[in-house]
Amino acid sequence: MSLDVKAIRAQFPILQRKLDGKPLVYLDNAATTQKPQAVLDAIMSFYTTTNANVHRGAHALSDEATRLYENARNDVATFINANRREEVIWTAGTTEAINLVAKGLAQQLKAGDEVVVTEMEHHANLVTWQQACKVSGATLCVAPINNRGELDLDAYCGLLNEKTKLVAFPHVSNALGTVNPVKVMTARAKAVGAWVSVDGAQGIAHGGVDVQDIGCDFYAFSGHKLFGPTGTGVLWGRADVLETWPVWLTGGEMIADVTYQDATWGSLPNRLEAGTPNIAGVIGLGAAVNWFSALDLDAVQAHEKRLLARAHEHAESLSDMRIIGTATDKVGVMSFMLGHAHPADVGFILDRQGVAIRTGDNCAQPLMKKLGIPGTARASFSLYNTLEEVDILFDALRKAQMMLA
Ligand SMILES: Cc1ncc(COP(=O)(O)O)c(C=O)c1O
């Protein structure tokens, strides 16, 4: 079945915007996605009719807010097929979720242990583990990629051994678009007894994610890349592991009993969620998950593949265009170089034509250094983009090519 893109676009007010009289062509979806009316309404409705703190008020509004807030947890748990709703921990985003994993495991990492990441990491999933290794004395091992930007699976497996404590990798690379074979990677890491933490920032919005099927221990993602609000995110973790973690933020909400001298901790998920949370954001994220999962996710994937195929077709006819990341299994992310032009100049010229893309190091400096480039221009497609918009992108790129020649 094909996706009714026109009907979907009508649900995103921002897509009706014009910039200098030109229709907005928003192709920066890997950075953040736009928000459908259902999400905007959920947030507005919360503040207009329900605003109250959760879990503490002895009044109707607080009960209502708590119900909406905890329903969002149920919806996310169902969406990713968590075993238990308590395994869904709210965070400010992927970065905070990964940092929470590092804090949770910090005391269990020691000199002699090994942590495996890949060459395609976003800084959030590299610097966090690099620093955790520095503090603990563990060794950071980096699994290489091939020249198409795919993980070298043999080399990855070669790094796994009885010293491997943790393996952390992206479900999908933000810079290259590569979809990693997460199930196989997880199974291999589990075979040597390692924990597996998946950076799902880019994986979450392209199809269904089933954390039990993947078999990992932790899966982190951001609400804003899934049509939800900024400042929201999820750490999903196996309850039996999360229960053993030390608390990381202390304060209200996360305690069981407090005296002047001591305190005991509440149970999951509260023990990892201190303080007043981003209530409206979480409710917005719940709305985003419900909006997204009501779509035909196979059709979403097929549509994104069509957009990428059209872009690759155009790219072949554009002399001097070099695509960075040509994995066989790829989402709608096209990083590229245009001749010797600096990506920032390409981005600037496109912006003048209403086309929004990302330029720069894609928060993956070591990867850019390995590839010997300063950064890339990156067009990233989402379910509301059209084939016509891909054509507009390439018209704009042809103009840029002429101007920069
Ligand atoms: C692969 C990947 N990991 C982690 C992050 C960090 O996400 P956030 O900034 O929402 O915490 C991003 C954001 O672009 C990403 O693409």
Side-chain angles (χ1 to χ4, degrees), residues 54-55 63 65-90 211-212 221 233-240 242-243 267-273 282:
V54 289
H55 298 149
D63 284 350
T66 303
R67 188 171 42 74
L68 291 171
Y69 175 80
E70 290 301 336
N71 278 349
R73 200 187 306 272
N74 296 342
D75 294 338
V76 168
T78 305
F79 177 56
I80 59 173
N81 194 27
N83 194 27
R84 288 166 47 186
R85 65 185 302 283
E86 296 82 7
E87 295 178 333
V88 172
I89 309 296
W90 301 124
V211 291
Q212 293 192 67
F221 65 91
V234 169
L235 172 67
W236 169 82
R238 273 182 31 216
D240 58 328
L242 297 185
E243 270 156 3
S267 50
L268 287 176
N270 301 33
R271 73 193 297 274
L272 296 173
E273 294 177 352
V282 161

Side-chain angles (χ1 to χ4, degrees), residues 24-48:
L24 165 69
V25 176
Y26 185 77
L27 301 178
D28 195 16
N29 295 288
T32 198
T33 52
Q34 300 300 348
K35 322 302 171 201
Q37 193 64 50
V39 170
L40 305 176
D41 287 348
I43 296 168
M44 188 63 155
S45 157
F46 172 74
Y47 280 127
T48 318

Side-chain angles (χ1 to χ4, degrees), residues 24 115 192 269 305 354 366:
L24 165 69
V115 171
V192 298
K305 283 210 182 311

Side-chain angles (χ1 to χ4, degrees), residues 30-31 93-96 98 122 124 170 172-174 199 201-202 222 224-225:
T94 308
T95 305
E96 189 175 273
I98 295 170
H122 183 283
V172 171
S173 157
N174 62 306
D199 170 355
Q202 298 294 337
S222 304
H224 72 96
K225 294 189 198 277

